[in-house]
């Protein structure tokens, strides 16, 4: 009696459907340098004092640091002027400050201005002070849909308690401390100071710093 045999039949192989998540990842070519910030900041101010005894001063501080894909910068600029005269001559004091940033996603600034005049025992005194803080943040892999987000505050105050006197003479001073940490950086400053005996003191500065 003949013997019948069956040839082995392998079970069918399962093929997954062609959904996107089954496709092997495709490596993309880099489109440019990574972690490169173009954050730049500017601090500026001016102070003028007119009188027999005058004093104008300015101070600026700035720092930008690139930490991976985020660059953070801060700035502080303050200018002040003082003037006095006891001979009935003109007395004038004015100060202003500003700060700005480019290449940032978030910008926060606070400006305070204070002014005052007073006559103390026949001596006319004028004082003006301006101060601006700035914080800027650049997230290199992201940007706001409608452009940089900028929040700014500005306040005005009256100085009611003035010094009874200031040092005799006419002085103009300025000090700055600015640092940018990273590659391809720059700091640039334009400064002007002038003091004329028994007449005036003035100081002005513009500081730009950041990444190229």
């Amino acid at each position: 009696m003949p013997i019948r045999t069956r040839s082995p039949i392998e079970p069918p192989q399962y093929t997954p459907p062609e959904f996107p998540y089954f496709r092997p990842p495709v490596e993309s070519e880099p489109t440019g340098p990574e972690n490169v910030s173009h954050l730049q900041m500017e601090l500026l101010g001016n102070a003028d004092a007119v009188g027999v005894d005058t004093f104008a001063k300015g101070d600026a501080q700035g720092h930008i640091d690139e930490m991976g894909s985020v660059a953070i910068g801060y700035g502080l600029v303050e200018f002040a002027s003082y003037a006095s005269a006891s001979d009935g001559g003109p007395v004038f004091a004015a100060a202003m400050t500003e700060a700005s940033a480019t290449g940032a996603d978030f910008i926060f600034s606070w400006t305070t201005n204070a002014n005052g005049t007073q006559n103390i025992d026949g001596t006319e005194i004028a004082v003006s002070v301006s101060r601006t803080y700035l914080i800027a943040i650049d997230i290199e892999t992201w940007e706001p849909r409608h452009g940089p987000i900028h929040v700014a505050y500005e306040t005005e105050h009256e100085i009611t308690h003035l010094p009874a006197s200031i040092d005799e003479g006419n002085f103009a001073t300025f000090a700055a401390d600015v640092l940018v940490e990273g590659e391809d950086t720059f700091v640039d400053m334009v400064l002007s100071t002038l003091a004329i005996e028994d007449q005036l003191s003035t100081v002005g500065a513009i500081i730009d710093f950041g990444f190229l």
Side-chain angles (χ1 to χ4, degrees), residues 14-24:
Y14 173 74
T15 303
E18 290 293 329
F19 291 127
Y21 46 80
F22 283 109
R23 295 175 184 172

Side-chain angles (χ1 to χ4, degrees), residues 83-89 91 116-126 159-160 162-165:
S84 69
S86 57
D87 58 359
V91 173
T117 59
Q118 192 171 351
N119 188 297
I120 301 177
D121 298 330
T123 299
E124 193 73 21
I125 299 175
I159 301 175
T160 56
L162 277 68
S165 63

Side-chain angles (χ1 to χ4, degrees), residues 39-44 58-66 72-79 98-101 132-136 174-182 185-189 206-211:
L39 177 61
Q40 298 182 2
M41 301 175 67
E42 181 177 82
L43 308 176
L44 65 89
D59 294 280
Q61 301 177 28
H63 183 205
I64 297 179
D65 191 8
E66 190 175 30
I72 300 177
Y74 84 89
L76 166 62
V77 56
E78 180 178 6
F79 277 74
E98 291 181 6
S100 59
T132 297
Y133 296 93
L134 178 68
I135 296 176
F174 181 77
D177 183 5
V178 178
L179 173 65
V180 183
E181 297 186 76
T185 62
F186 77 98
V187 176
D188 181 62
M189 181 175 69
I206 301 175
I207 303 176
D208 295 292
F209 58 101
F211 298 104

